[in-house]
């Protein structure tokens, strides 16, 4: 990859203000949740870009940097040897005690630390956004026609996976995208588009920070309304499943913790997002060429999974036959979609459900993530998520993994069927189109997702692999055709 | 709420002989002499306190079912007076009595025959003054229901009105030559009434009634009616009563082209009643009974600019079924949702909240889906349903699960509003679903394991309603005496919780802020009140809606370095730090913590 950064990363280069920090960063990065350290060997680190954001005389000094990290296991990342991450750094000779946990290292007299931990820095960013300021290469942009948030210090959100956020007193949340990628981040792009459609299904966008990389624009961060007092759909579904499995004989529709009402509302919410995205960014007919492109992409993914998982390889032909259902399907349309939907991407608030995190599937390239696709991909992803919710607790209730309890399995399946069906009902109610009326397309997308899950679980969570394998088998038998 | 379709066991109570004579023989007299408050002793009064109703724990007593002093099988006012020490011991601040006025009892007493007379079975006005006096001596206030919208058709005003259209009462009711006016007003009791108009053969005209045809609506367009009603209020206020729950207030006026509910004329009249209370009887309260959505009910608090100038209190109806739903669903959202939809109320206003009362568990304020769900979960036997609701007591609704009983009570005592307890629920009394209508939840109070549960020494056959006798909830197992003797009893637990509530003004006066948190099964909120001296009272309440143990991480960073102190035992918990505060709760468990600011420790 050509380096177009102002500094070239040579540790001996005195022009790199982070040069002396590279070892400290190499020690610090693997302790960060957003850094994909698991099973990866870091081969090297360089500074891709660096800029001072704070004005002269402001304390602390605030710096923005993009670093490139190369991994020894490059073959696994599809040929790219380097991944790039954004840092916001606070620099001060003696920083306050409450950022001590975020210290990265020292540079001369100064302590360098993760800037998001410092309330003064998050306050500065918020006020720069409300002022539409430009600092160095960073442009702070308030979303037009939104209420300016009250400026105050933020505090870091704990427990996040791939990005880092700070929360401003339950009013607003700013998300720093850790992966530095050229182009407009679809999370910002789609929130902006949905906000301008007046969507009630997303947390309103309040602003953004934009920068540059490789001479192209890059999304640094986005600011949106904070959905306080919310809980994610996965936790709620898990509570419902637990309530069911704890009963000896009650059916899914008889237990108090029935989730079908919520599943119905989630269906309506996802449908509304699809309608709004279509209205904002348009639709295209899915023609034969488009369908075969989608199939090709699915088949590629199938072959990667088959190469790694014997259980997939054995069924390769049967799976491929289902995936080819995309071409066989009735004419349909393509549009911008969420792309990585699951119950954890939906937040229950006291006024309804919100959909969050429109970044798309993290393993895909930006070009793939912004490519129009069938809304059925999102619908299928939700159906998969209901399966996961239903079956992931079985291991807690079963005597042992080798001795599955058919009664429990049947009840989990009942929960999945009931909620998948309620979700489709809700979706159909809002769009007028029942996803179950396109069984080939839906089944192809669902199986594509299940194959991907089998590969993912085999690599990351072997104890969960039985969940997508079970679904794969169901989707390959005629009884699994369509939704009940 | 009005009593609904009543097939009450005592519907055929004897009428009042004196009244019949007043009405039928006194043809010459135009106006009937009303008794005056000065004809009676007045009860001692309590010091004026403008906020007592915000801090108070209310207790609803059915006089008929509480204690019988004269062995006639009916509870009475003197019997209740004898039990005031018990209520004082429990920590009750205010007793709410459903109507005890003279009535033919065709609608459980909500059909008033004489506003200034006590139902003979209950006693006399003098007995009531004695109750009031003794209650006040113990610091307990008393409020009662007043039905302003209509009277019984046996009220002498109605008898005069039908007999003499040109007499002083001729215009006291809403008469019409035909039954076509106000056709946009819905019929409330669709099971028994086909029209809001009924023809009266004596007067030869139709009369208007929003409820039963034996309950003609008063004509508030007639200034004399307004005066007569305000004088009825004054009568009881002069005797010393602490306030009224105004029944069926949305319906006072009728206007063509409207549904006849919540009209501006109705609000104007309520403002007038409030002014009388504020000017002449400071410290007394008006409580609106309006079974409507909170956004509509707030209208009955009046103008927020002046802190509220209609009713001081109103019941929050939709909250109660949602507490049940939240626990059944193991999700906080049914409660979070309704509280988020509840608008702010004026400075001097307060919600009344309850788990159960003498009516069925009202399901009017839930959606159809939710109603089906509630029936399925809480009324597995069709006999448990009544009108649009479920007629069970709290303990049987919760399958007598002590953990749930405690969780529900903790919610009642800590959510925003003044809690209203229902007699007997403090000991976990049961119900009798085989009794007609809502009598199943109105059985006699269980005082002792002795004859008639200590309610009455009459022949058991004379009892107004049978005592509960099943093996789980029967009076030999569940009674005040036995529970008084065991500090581990539900009764003692309730008393302790009421006591804790009283030590923290935040519960009654504080604002409410829901904390959210990562676990959807956990409902967490803070109540905060700063008094005139700047003393801050802050209480954190954490409730587990699930039957399974749950962890929750709460964002308490606003109280960094503070130490939460658990309120039932005073145990200090770890200080709040930078990270989310981790708590683990047992199934259906809850915590109340006081949070003291760091510098005050």
């Amino acid at each position: 990859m050509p380096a177009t950064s102002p500094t070239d990363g040579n540790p001996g280069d005195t022009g790199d203000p982070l040069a002396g920090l590279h070892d400290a960063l190499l020690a610090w990065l693997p302790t960060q949740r957003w850094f994909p350290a698991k099973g990866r060997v870091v081969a090297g680190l360089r500074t891709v870009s660096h800029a001072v954001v704070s004005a002269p005389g402001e304390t602390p000094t605030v710096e923005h940097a993009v670093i490139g990290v190369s991994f020894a296991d490059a073959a696994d990342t599809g040929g790219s040897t380097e991944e790039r991450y954004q840092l916001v750094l606070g620099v001060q000779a003696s920083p306050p005690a409450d950022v001590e946990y975020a210290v990265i290292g020292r540079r001369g007299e100064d302590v360098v630390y993760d800037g998001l931990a410092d309330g003064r820095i998050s306050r500065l960013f918020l006020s720069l956004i409300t002022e539409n300021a430009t600092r160095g290469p960073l442009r702070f942009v308030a979303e037009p026609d939104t209420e300016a948030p009250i400026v105050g210090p933020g505090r870091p959100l704990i427990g996040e996976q791939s990005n880092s956020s700070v929360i401003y007193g339950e009013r607003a949340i700013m998300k720093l995208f850790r992966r530095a990628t050229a182009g407009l981040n679809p999370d910002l792009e789609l929130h902006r588009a949905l906000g301008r459609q007046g969507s009630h299904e997303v947390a309103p966008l309040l602003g953004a920070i934009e920068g540059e990389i490789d001479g192209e624009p890059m999304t640094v961060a986005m600011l949106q309304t904070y959905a306080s007092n919310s809980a994610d759909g996965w936790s709620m579904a898990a509570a419902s499943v637990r309530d069911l499995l704890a009963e000896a004989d009650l059916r899914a529709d008889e237990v108090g913790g029935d989730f079908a009402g919520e599943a119905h509302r989630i269906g309506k919410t996802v449908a509304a997002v699809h309608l709004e995205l279509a209205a904002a960014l348009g639709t295209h007919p899915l023609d034969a060429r488009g369908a075969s492109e989608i199939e090709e992409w699915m088949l590629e993914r199938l072959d990667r999974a088959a190469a790694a998982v014997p259980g997939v390889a054995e069924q390769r032909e049967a799976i491929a036959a289902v995936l080819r259902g995309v071409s066989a399907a009735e004419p349909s349309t393509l549009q911008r979609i969420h792309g990585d939907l699951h119950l954890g991407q939906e937040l229950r608030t006291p006024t309804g459900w919100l959909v969050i995190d429109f970044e798309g599937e993290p393993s895909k390239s930006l070009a793939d993530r912004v490519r129009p696709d069938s809304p059925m991909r999102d619908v299928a992803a939700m159906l998969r998520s209901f399966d996961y919710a239903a079956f992931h607790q079985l291991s807690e209730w079963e005597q042992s993994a080798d001795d599955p309890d058919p009664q429990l399995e049947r009840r989990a399946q009942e929960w999945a069927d009931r909620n998948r069906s309620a979700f489709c009902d809700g979706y159909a109610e809002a769009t007028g189109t029942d996803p179950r009326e396109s069984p080939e397309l839906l089944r192809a997308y669902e199986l594509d997702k299940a194959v991907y899950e089998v590969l993912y679980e085999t690599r990351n969570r072997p104890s969960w692999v039985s969940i997508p394998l079970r679904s794969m088998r169901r989707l390959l038998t005629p009884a699994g055709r369509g939704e009940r | 709420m009005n009593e609904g379709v009543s097939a009450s066991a005592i519907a055929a109570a004897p009428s009042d002989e004196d009244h019949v004579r007043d009405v039928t023989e006194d043809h010459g007299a135009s106006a009937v002499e009303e008794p005056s408050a000065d004809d009676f002793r007045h009860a001692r009064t309590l010091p004026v306190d403008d906020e007592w109703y915000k801090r108070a724990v209310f207790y609803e007593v059915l006089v008929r079912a509480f204690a019988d002093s004269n062995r006639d099988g009916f509870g009475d006012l003197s019997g209740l007076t004898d039990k005031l020490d018990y209520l004082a011991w429990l920590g009750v601040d205010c007793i709410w009595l459903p109507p005890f006025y003279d009535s033919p009892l065709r609608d459980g007493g909500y059909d008033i025959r004489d506003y200034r007379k006590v139902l003979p079975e209950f006693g006399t006005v003098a007995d009531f003054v004695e109750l009031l006096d003794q209650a006040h001596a113990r610091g307990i206030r008393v409020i009662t229901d007043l039905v302003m919208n209509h009277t019984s058709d046996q009220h002498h005003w109605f008898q005069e009105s039908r007999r003499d259209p040109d007499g002083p009462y001729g215009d006291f009711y809403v008469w019409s030559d035909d039954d076509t006016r106000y056709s946009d007003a819905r019929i409330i009791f669709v099971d028994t009434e086909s029209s809001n108009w009924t023809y009266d053969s004596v007067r030869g005209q139709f009369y208007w009634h929003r409820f039963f045809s034996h309950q003609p609506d008063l004509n508030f367009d007639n200034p004399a009616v307004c005066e007569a009603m305000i004088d009825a209020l004054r009568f009881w206020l002069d005797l010393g009563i602490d306030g009224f729950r105004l029944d069926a207030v949305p319906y006072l006026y009728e206007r063509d082209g409207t549904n006849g509910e919540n009209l501006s004329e109705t609000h104007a009249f309520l403002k007038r009643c409030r002014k009388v209370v504020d000017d002449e009887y400071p410290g007394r309260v008006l409580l609106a009974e309006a079974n409507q959505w909170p956004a509509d009910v707030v209208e009955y608090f009046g103008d927020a600019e002046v802190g509220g100038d209609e009713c001081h209190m109103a019941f929050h109806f939709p909250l109660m079924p949602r507490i049940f739903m939240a626990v059944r669903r193991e999700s906080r959202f049914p409660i979070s949702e309704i509280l988020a939809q509840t608008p702010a109320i004026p400075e001097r206003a307060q919600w009344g909240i309850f788990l159960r009362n003498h009516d069925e568990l009202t399901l009017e304020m839930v959606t159809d889906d939710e109603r089906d769900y509630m029936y399925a979960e809480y009324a597995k036997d069709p006999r448990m349903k009544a009108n649009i609701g479920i007629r069970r007591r709290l303990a049987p609704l919760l399958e007598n699960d002590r953990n749930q009983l405690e969780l529900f009570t903790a919610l009642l005592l800590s959510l925003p509003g003044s809690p209203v307890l229902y007699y007997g629920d403090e000991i976990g009394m049961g119900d009798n679903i085989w009794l007609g209508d809502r009598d199943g939840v109105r059985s006699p109070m269980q005082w002792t394991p002795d004859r008639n549960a200590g309610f009455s020494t009459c022949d058991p056959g004379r009892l107004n309603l049978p005592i509960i006798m099943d093996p789980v909830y029967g009076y030999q197992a569940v009674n005040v005496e036995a529970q008084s003797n065991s500090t581990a009893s539900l009764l003692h637990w309730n008393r302790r919780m009421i006591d804790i509530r009283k030590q923290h003004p935040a519960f009654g006066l504080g604002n409410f802020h829901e904390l959210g948190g990562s676990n959807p099964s956990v409902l967490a909120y803070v109540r905060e009140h700063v008094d005139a001296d700047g003393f801050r009272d802050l209480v954190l309440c954490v409730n587990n809606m699930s039957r399974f143990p749950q962890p929750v991480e709460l964002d308490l960073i606003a109280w960094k370095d503070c130490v939460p102190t658990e309120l039932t035992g005073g145990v200090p918990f770890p200080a709040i730090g930078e990270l989310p505060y981790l708590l683990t709760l047992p199934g259906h468990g809850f915590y109340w913590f006081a949070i003291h600011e760091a510098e005050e420790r």
Side-chain angles (χ1 to χ4, degrees), chain A residues 287-317:
Chain A
D287 54 18
R289 201 170 134 253
S292 68
E293 268 177 26
I294 291 172
E295 278 176 17
E296 249 167 60
W297 200 89
M298 288 178 171
L299 291 169
E300 255 173 52
R301 207 147 87 148
L302 170 61
D303 287 335
R304 276 205 299 281
V309 188
V312 174
E314 286 160 23
Q315 302 273 2
R316 195 206 169 273
E317 287 320 305

Side-chain angles (χ1 to χ4, degrees), chain A residues 7 9 11 16-37 42-50 63-71 85-91 102-107 111-115 178:
Chain A
T7 57
D16 178 358
L18 297 186
L21 274 171
H22 282 184
D23 285 344
L25 281 167
L26 284 171
W28 178 75
L29 283 171
T31 67
Q32 301 304 301
R33 289 184 69 136
W34 46 264
F35 189 74
V42 176
L45 182 146
R46 69 182 186 105
T47 307
V48 176
S49 70
H50 177 273
E63 299 174 4
H64 174 262
V66 174
I67 54 169
V69 179
S70 45
F71 292 93
Y85 300 97
Q86 291 197 77
L87 304 176
V88 171
L89 302 173
V91 183
V103 169
I104 297 168
R106 298 190 73 89
R107 186 171 65 197
V111 176
V112 180
Y113 57 93
D114 184 359
R178 284 295 183 177

Side-chain angles (χ1 to χ4, degrees), chain A residues 254-313:
Chain A
E254 294 170 331
V255 291
D258 184 20
F259 193 68
E262 300 289 7
H264 189 269
R265 282 188 278 275
I266 294 173
K268 284 172 81 168
T269 304
V270 170
V273 168
H274 282 163
L275 292 174
E276 288 155 2
L277 285 173
L281 302 166
T283 59
H284 321 275
L286 171 57
D287 54 18
R289 201 170 134 253
S292 68
E293 268 177 26
I294 291 172
E295 278 176 17
E296 249 167 60
W297 200 89
M298 288 178 171
L299 291 169
E300 255 173 52
R301 207 147 87 148
L302 170 61
D303 287 335
R304 276 205 299 281
V309 188
V312 174

Side-chain angles (χ1 to χ4, degrees), chain B residues 180-246:
Chain B
T180 56
R181 297 191 70 189
Y182 316 134
S183 55
D184 294 332
R186 71 192 167 104
I187 297 165
I188 292 170
F189 292 142
V190 284
D191 290 350
T192 52
E193 303 297 330
S194 56
S195 166
N196 285 328
W197 291 103
T198 291
Y199 184 73
D200 177 57
S201 56
V202 175
R203 177 152 161 163
Q205 276 187 305
F206 291 89
Y207 63 89
W208 176 254
H209 54 87
R210 285 311 300 268
F211 296 90
F212 294 112
S213 58
H214 59 75
Q215 290 168 334
D217 273 31
L218 285 161
N219 175 22
F220 280 85
D221 280 323
N222 177 356
V225 168
C226 299
E227 287 308 320
M229 195 51 62
I230 286 173
D231 281 346
L233 289 172
R234 284 198 181 102
F235 174 80
W236 296 100
L237 289 166
D238 282 335
L239 296 180
I241 202 162
D242 297 287
F244 296 98
R245 171 181 173 273
L246 303 177

